Amino acid sequence: MKRNILLATLLMACCCQVVTAQTDDRKWQLVWSDEFDYTGLPDSTKWGYDTGGHGWGNNEKQFYTVKRLQNASVKNGLLSITAVKEKYKNAGYTSARLLSKNKGDWKYGRIEVRAQLPKGRGLWPAIWMLPTDWKYGDWPISGEIDIMEHVGYLPDSLFGTVHTGAYNHRIGTQKGNNIFRNDVSSAFHNYVLVWDENKMEIYVDDEKYFTFNNEKKTEKEWPFDQRFHLLLNVAVGGDWGGKKGIDDAVFPQSMQVDYVRVYQ
């Protein structure tokens, strides 16, 4: 009995250390999560779908499907978002784009996604956020937060980026940074956003590599005082993802997600 009590005490101590490390020494409380501890389609109380094959503003080549296990499924504790080379409606590839809109929407917090990325030229996985209410107007005025983007032709590179009316890629003023990891397609990493009224910080695991400060000017610089929701997707091709072409030999390829956790 004493041994069991000692083991339990040690386990509790270890857990407390992990929580402290994962919450940046702030008193965050878990408010939303998906641990993917079930089998089948993604939980419909937490995830919806964007669907279509119209290029998504980036000349992407995939058709995003809805409730199709070939493209979005949960098994063995993991969510798999899978890009497949196949003829489907007007496209030559299929994939999925999940979103938490109206099922998980937050203003400020810590968003943490543990994932392993697909591998191959032409793939463009992303973990990102869009405004739920678009209060200030259409993209990019109401903002976009790219917690993680990866393009297959740069296999060791990860990107964190913010878009606003004043800072966006259409006018070449977007704010962001990149970091290098040589195992993004063979190991899981934590992709993290820490966001409050003063700044955003983007991390890979425990390493912060991008900070975007609130300049306290107008919504053109900082539209991030509104609700945002999370998106998980794997695009194929596109202006950035397909810049060096698409290697059809790599398909199918999946982004696997171990968990999504949101703290406030």
Side-chain angles (χ1 to χ4, degrees), residues 95-150:
S95 187
R97 176 161 145 163
L98 303 184
L99 68 164
S100 68
K101 186 175 182 178
N102 296 320
K103 302 180 181 193
D105 309 89
W106 313 279
K107 184 175 80 169
Y108 311 141
R110 176 186 170 95
I111 291 86
E112 181 174 339
V113 180
R114 183 166 178 81
Q116 179 176 303
L117 306 184
K119 180 179 181 179
R121 180 167 44 86
L123 292 163
W124 184 1
I127 299 167
W128 54 304
M129 302 184 79
L130 284 175
T132 296
D133 304 306
W134 298 93
K135 176 180 177 180
Y136 298 119
D138 293 338
W139 193 95
I141 302 299
S142 289
E144 175 181 326
I145 309 165
D146 298 322
I147 301 171
M148 186 290 301
E149 288 186 282
H150 173 72

Side-chain angles (χ1 to χ4, degrees), residues 15-35:
C15 289
C16 290
Q17 289 175 2
V18 170
V19 169
T20 300
Q22 291 179 345
T23 54
D24 306 315
D25 296 324
R26 304 190 197 188
K27 294 181 179 179
W28 297 109
Q29 296 292 323
L30 185 68
V31 297
W32 191 97
S33 68
D34 197 338
E35 302 294 329

Side-chain angles (χ1 to χ4, degrees), residues 119-123 151-153 236-237 241-242 244-248 250-251:
K119 180 179 181 179
R121 180 167 44 86
L123 292 163
V151 288
Y153 70 88
V236 179
K244 301 293 184 179
I246 301 170
D247 182 1
D248 286 340
V250 303
F251 292 89

Side-chain angles (χ1 to χ4, degrees), residues 38 106 203 211 214 260:
Y38 52 91
W106 313 279
Y203 296 73
T211 299
N214 183 355
V260 177

Side-chain angles (χ1 to χ4, degrees), residues 124-232:
W124 184 1
I127 299 167
W128 54 304
M129 302 184 79
L130 284 175
T132 296
D133 304 306
W134 298 93
K135 176 180 177 180
Y136 298 119
D138 293 338
W139 193 95
I141 302 299
S142 289
E144 175 181 326
I145 309 165
D146 298 322
I147 301 171
M148 186 290 301
E149 288 186 282
H150 173 72
V151 288
Y153 70 88
L154 296 172
D156 61 352
S157 298
L158 300 163
F159 299 85
T161 314
V162 167
H163 296 281
T164 73
Y167 306 121
N168 66 83
H169 72 262
R170 286 183 179 172
I171 57 176
T173 57
Q174 74 273 11
K175 299 287 187 177
N177 201 2
N178 67 302
I179 193 170
F180 300 100
R181 292 286 186 275
N182 60 13
D183 62 348
V184 298
S185 298
S186 59
F188 284 83
H189 292 279
N190 290 356
Y191 300 101
V192 178
L193 168 72
V194 177
W195 165 33
D196 62 29
E197 64 272 20
N198 295 310
K199 63 184 177 180
M200 293 183 182
E201 299 172 330
I202 293 180
Y203 296 73
V204 173
D205 301 321
D206 293 325
E207 184 172 355
K208 179 174 65 176
Y209 71 99
F210 174 54
T211 299
F212 180 73
N213 291 307
N214 183 355
E215 300 173 6
K216 307 293 177 70
K217 294 180 179 178
T218 72
E219 68 274 6
K220 291 181 180 179
E221 292 79 23
W222 183 270
F224 303 114
D225 58 352
Q226 303 296 316
R227 299 188 307 159
F228 277 64
H229 59 272
L230 187 66
L231 297 96
L232 308 173

